[in-house]
Amino acid sequence: MEDLLAARSQMAMSLAFHIVFAVVGMAMPLLMVIAEARWLRSGDPIYRELARRWARGTAIIFAVGAVSGTVLSFELGLLWPTFMEHAGPLVGMPFSLEGFAFFLEAIFLGIYLYGWDRVGRRAHLLAGVMVLISGTASGVFVVTANAWMNAPAGFDLVDGAFVNVRPWEAMFNPMWATQCGHMVIAAFQSVAFAVAGIHAAMLLREGGNAFHKRAIAIALPIAAIAALAQPLMGDLLAKATAKNQPVKLAAMEGQFETEQGAPLRIFGLPDEEREQTPWAIEIPGALSFLAYGDFDAEVRGLKAFPRDEWPPVAIVHIAFQIMVALGLWMMAVGVFGVGMSWRGRRLYTARWYLWVLVLTAPMGMLAVEAGWVVTEVGRQPWVIQGYLRTADAVTPMPHLVVPFLVFTLLYLVLSVIVVYLLWRHVFQSPTSRELEALQAPESAADDLSESTD
């Protein structure tokens, strides 16, 4: 394996691994805060048990995410020294703020985990809200740095050097708002569907279990709201991409020709040699409208750009199609489930719908991974769009396949450990004794919760 390919493979694998923990760290605190708020309002101890278990899950994810995030920060410097030489002063601000948010998240997560019955109830709930805010902010700052790579700003290029650095202009670059909004919604959407699907699976096995019913009742509305909001934010991001990365948009849509009234393509397999996208269903004018708000607007095709500046078109197009298809499926599932519940239908006894939730559970994460393929592969051959090519940024150190294999093994081991811990400490059903204790006077439930922590 060539060193450049090994470096890119290692970076891709690290991002694909870490992003799962990042989105869970952003979204899981919302579920635990809602569960605790419902416990405070209703006194139902099952909600308290849900909050405790989801908090333990957040802690497990936070710990492993901290490890993989540290690996990523090392990889940026060791694998891509030329990138850090140029980009360091410009992405330093969001990375510094991300570190601050990370420490806040760690502090308040500690208070939340060990503060039950040690701090006031409102103070404890506030600690959970702070975990939610700082965890989301941490993700936003990282995506802001990535957005700068897609739409670099805040510097002047003089004799090949990035000078006159303006860090705030770099931070609030043209892509940051839409890319961050898209990522935050994706995090809540993917985690909510995953949680709903896991508890649906448990409910299929243990029909009538109140613990899993309440979990789905919290997760499913979040999933549905996020799934409805995502197409709107996705449209804004597509418009920003059309303006700042037109060649990426052309690859996403398999658009080779520059034309007015460009069609939106559903399916299809781009053929770079023939410069065509056969087997696609085309909706005339739809791409022009979605990109520029005008059915007759001109969309620049791939052939308008030098061939050596094309990203791998088929990979980008297929990943984009997968992300959109999964998003539409999740929107339909979420809206249908909330509609059933709102109209008084038996959501928890409709086994077919519970099976649909189980099937949908991994789709949010798959959509997140597909979206990051579009973001990263669609920017190639650039690591900093229009300024620095990926091939020019890689370290000259040979034998990069060795760390690639080592970290692959590390991620495999960590994956097994995380799945085991989550299954053991978060998603297992309460035993009959635990459920009885939860529905007994609260003092007894407190004793049980302490014994199971």
Side-chain angles (χ1 to χ4, degrees), residues 89 129 266:
V129 173
I266 302 173

Side-chain angles (χ1 to χ4, degrees), residues 77-418:
L78 294 175
L79 293 178
W80 312 103
T82 308
F83 166 74
M84 290 307 297
E85 177 187 348
H86 291 292
L90 289 146
V91 298
M93 182 65 73
F95 277 139
S96 299
L97 294 175
E98 192 274 336
F100 178 70
F102 173 81
F103 285 121
L104 278 183
E105 185 182 5
I107 292 167
F108 283 106
L109 182 58
I111 294 173
Y112 194 87
L113 284 171
Y114 297 103
W116 291 98
D117 306 321
R118 295 183 175 88
V119 299
R121 290 185 173 185
R122 290 186 179 181
H124 189 266
L125 181 64
L126 179 61
V129 173
M130 289 304 298
V131 175
L132 170 64
I133 293 173
S134 53
T136 302
S138 180
V140 165
F141 289 131
V142 172
V143 176
T144 296
N146 181 268
W148 179 84
M149 295 163 67
N150 292 327
F155 65 93
D156 296 320
L157 185 67
V158 178
D159 297 329
F162 291 21
V163 298
N164 301 326
V165 171
R166 301 178 291 280
W168 293 112
E169 185 180 334
M171 185 164 164
F172 298 110
N173 60 75
M175 294 289 287
W176 85 273
T178 50
Q179 215 177 306
C180 290
H182 190 59
M183 190 68 240
V184 169
I185 294 172
F188 289 112
Q189 180 179 350
S190 57
V191 171
F193 270 113
V195 170
I198 290 169
H199 286 283
M202 303 303 292
L203 203 54
L204 281 167
R205 198 173 68 177
E206 306 167 26
N209 188 306
F211 181 80
H212 300 301
K213 286 181 179 179
R214 284 164 176 71
I216 294 175
I218 292 173
L220 191 55
I222 297 172
I225 293 169
L228 282 171
Q230 191 61 290
L232 301 176
M233 183 53 71
D235 178 62
L236 295 176
L237 180 56
K239 286 180 168 58
T241 303
K243 183 178 180 181
N244 297 286
Q245 294 181 291
V247 65
K248 178 191 282 187
L249 180 75
M252 289 161 59
E253 298 293 346
Q255 180 75 26
F256 286 93
E257 302 290 341
T258 297
E259 60 182 318
Q260 293 181 319
L264 183 72
R265 291 179 177 81
I266 302 173
F267 307 123
L269 182 61
D271 185 335
E272 292 188 40
E273 293 300 321
R274 298 171 57 195
E275 300 180 340
Q276 296 176 354
T277 304
W279 308 307
I281 301 171
E282 297 188 352
I283 304 175
L287 177 57
S288 292
F289 178 76
L290 290 174
Y292 299 105
D294 181 353
F295 285 102
D296 293 322
E298 180 181 279
V299 175
R300 298 171 69 189
L302 287 157
K303 292 164 72 174
F305 302 90
R307 188 66 178 258
D308 67 350
E309 294 184 7
W310 290 13
V313 181
I315 293 175
V316 176
H317 178 74
I318 292 171
F320 181 66
Q321 295 282 314
I322 290 173
M323 181 185 68
V324 173
L326 292 175
L328 292 174
W329 171 266
M330 286 185 283
M331 184 169 63
V333 171
V335 170
F336 195 83
V338 171
M340 284 178 66
S341 181
W342 183 59
R343 298 184 65 178
R345 303 287 178 84
R346 295 178 177 178
L347 178 68
Y348 305 114
T349 57
R351 293 182 64 83
W352 67 269
Y353 184 73
L354 295 177
W355 274 113
V356 169
L357 283 180
V358 173
L359 178 68
T360 308
M363 291 187 180
M365 292 298 176
L366 293 174
V368 167
E369 299 285 3
W372 272 97
V373 169
V374 174
T375 299
E376 294 301 297
V377 179
R379 194 183 56 245
Q380 300 306 315
W382 305 99
V383 64
I384 302 174
Q385 181 72 48
Y387 290 95
L388 179 63
R389 288 178 181 264
T390 307
D392 296 330
V394 71
T395 176
M397 187 185 90
H399 309 304
L400 293 179
V401 68
V402 175
F404 170 55
L405 294 176
V406 170
F407 280 103
T408 299
L409 181 62
L410 169 68
Y411 291 138
L412 286 174
V413 172
L414 283 176
S415 299
V416 172
I417 293 172
V418 168

